[in-house]
Every structure is written in C-alpha cells, then in structure tokens.
Amino acid sequence: MIQIRQTFAPLALTVLLVTGCAKPPTEQIEAAEKAIKEAQQSGAATYTAEEYAKLEGTLAALKKEVGDQDVKFALFRDYGKAEQLAASAKADGERVKTEAAKKKEEAKAAALQAQQVAQESVKSTLDLVAKAPVGKDRAALEAIKNDVDALKASLNQVQTALDKEDYPAAQTQAKAIHDKSQAVSTEIQNALAKVGKGKPSSSKKK
C-alpha cells in the first residue's frame, strides 16, 4: 500500500505540472490584433474614432492581462480572462471595420458632391468676373480676379485630398472654396447693380 502511494504521488505531481502550466492564447491574440489592424486600415480611427479608441483599450487590457499572468508561477497562471478579451477584441474589430468602411464610402460621396458644387460655383464666379465693370477702380477688379484665380487653383487641393482618400479634408476645402466664391460673386453682382443704376434710362421714341 505504501509502495502504491509512493508511486502515485510523483505521477499526480507530473499530471498537475503538465495540466497546470497554462499557456497564453497566442493564436487568439494574433487574430485580435489582425482584426484591429484591419479596422484601422479601413479608416476606423477617422470615421469611427470612439469605437476604435475602445478597441485600442481592449487590446491594451489584453496585453496587460497576459503580462500579469506571465509573471506568475507556472502553476497559478490562468489565461481565461485573456482569452475572453481576445475574442471580444476580434469580434469588435471586425464589426468596427465594417462600420468604418461604410462611413468612409459615405464621406467619399459627400466630398465628391462638395467638389462638384465648388467647381460650379467657381465657374459661375469666373463668368461674372468677365462681366464686371472696369470703371475707375481697376485695382479692385484686379484683386477680385486674383481671388477667383486663387479659388480655381485651390480646387486642385480638393482633388489631391480625394486622391489621398482624405475625404473629410476634401469636403472641408470644397466648402470653403464654395463659400469664398459665393462672397466674391455677391461683391461683383453688387458692383453690376450700381453700374446699372447709374446709367440714364433711354427715353421711348414717340
């Protein structure tokens, strides 16, 4: 009986050591990191910033949990919480990736529309400049022409932002061009109205 116990004790200890030495969920962690990276590449940091920040927080908590378990004595390591965090990060990463891609497409459509509006506005302003009265204030007219030329050139910046897929910047720039163009158009229209009022009305022939 004593011999059986002596044989069983080392065997039980061996089983305990083998089963008790938990290992970090490497594959799950890599899958979570991959999902978060893909979310970032889809524009999550820009288009779903709050959700992406939560993802980064989950990943940081995951790494901390793994680190906390790694420093423990092998028999006391438990990576259960790390596995849960990894699974959560992976699922959330995939969801955020989809949401970000959708919002990015919406931003692209809005930016393209803003670009078109800006282009049409600048064209209308250029047409008005051609009709602007020269009068005595040539310097003012030249200043207006320079403003419009600058607006026309700045349309290239909108296209550059679109090419870089920086749709929020493209939309902001296009709106600024449109607003400035409208202001210049109003200025020219006011000048044309003053000239019209200053002209003597032609008398009707009897």
Side-chain angles (χ1 to χ4, degrees):
M1 185 68 177
I2 295 175
Q3 186 176 0
I4 294 175
R5 288 180 179 177
Q6 289 176 341
T7 304
F8 178 75
L11 180 61
L13 181 60
T14 301
V15 172
L16 182 62
L17 287 172
V18 172
T19 58
C21 295
K23 295 181 180 180
T26 305
E27 291 184 4
Q28 293 95 317
I29 294 172
E30 290 177 350
E33 290 177 334
K34 181 174 180 290
I36 293 174
K37 183 178 180 181
E38 289 179 351
Q40 189 273 333
Q41 292 173 339
S42 71
T46 299
Y47 301 102
T48 53
E50 186 175 342
E51 291 296 317
Y52 183 69
K54 291 179 181 178
L55 276 179
E56 289 186 315
T58 302
L59 182 60
L62 169 59
K63 291 181 177 180
K64 182 180 183 303
E65 176 62 21
V66 172
D68 290 345
Q69 296 302 322
D70 285 345
V71 297
K72 291 181 179 180
F73 182 65
L75 290 176
F76 300 108
R77 292 173 189 166
D78 182 1
Y79 293 98
K81 183 178 178 180
E83 291 176 355
Q84 292 176 0
L85 287 170
S88 177
K90 180 178 181 294
D92 289 343
E94 292 171 349
R95 174 179 57 79
V96 171
K97 173 187 174 182
T98 301
E99 291 179 3
K102 179 181 177 182
K103 290 188 176 182
K104 185 176 181 179
E105 283 302 310
E106 292 173 352
K108 179 181 179 180
L112 288 172
Q113 183 178 6
Q115 180 191 37
Q116 183 178 356
V117 171
Q119 289 171 336
E120 292 173 354
S121 182
V122 170
K123 183 179 182 301
S124 296
T125 304
L126 285 169
D127 292 341
L128 278 175
V129 168
K131 301 175 184 177
V134 177
K136 297 180 180 179
D137 201 350
R138 290 179 177 274
L141 179 59
E142 285 301 318
I144 290 175
K145 287 182 178 179
N146 290 336
D147 286 343
V148 178
D149 288 340
L151 287 174
K152 186 177 180 180
S154 62
L155 287 171
N156 294 329
Q157 297 176 2
V158 176
Q159 186 59 52
T160 298
L162 287 170
D163 293 340
K164 292 180 179 179
E165 297 188 352
D166 190 353
Y167 303 125
Q171 185 176 4
T172 299
Q173 291 170 355
K175 186 179 184 304
I177 292 170
H178 171 261
D179 292 345
K180 177 65 176 177
S181 183
Q182 290 291 95
V184 173
S185 293
T186 300
E187 186 178 351
I188 297 173
Q189 287 169 347
N190 290 338
L192 288 171
K194 289 179 181 179
V195 171
K197 289 180 180 179
K199 289 182 179 180
S201 58
S202 57
S203 57
K204 294 181 180 180
K205 293 182 180 180
K206 294 182 180 180

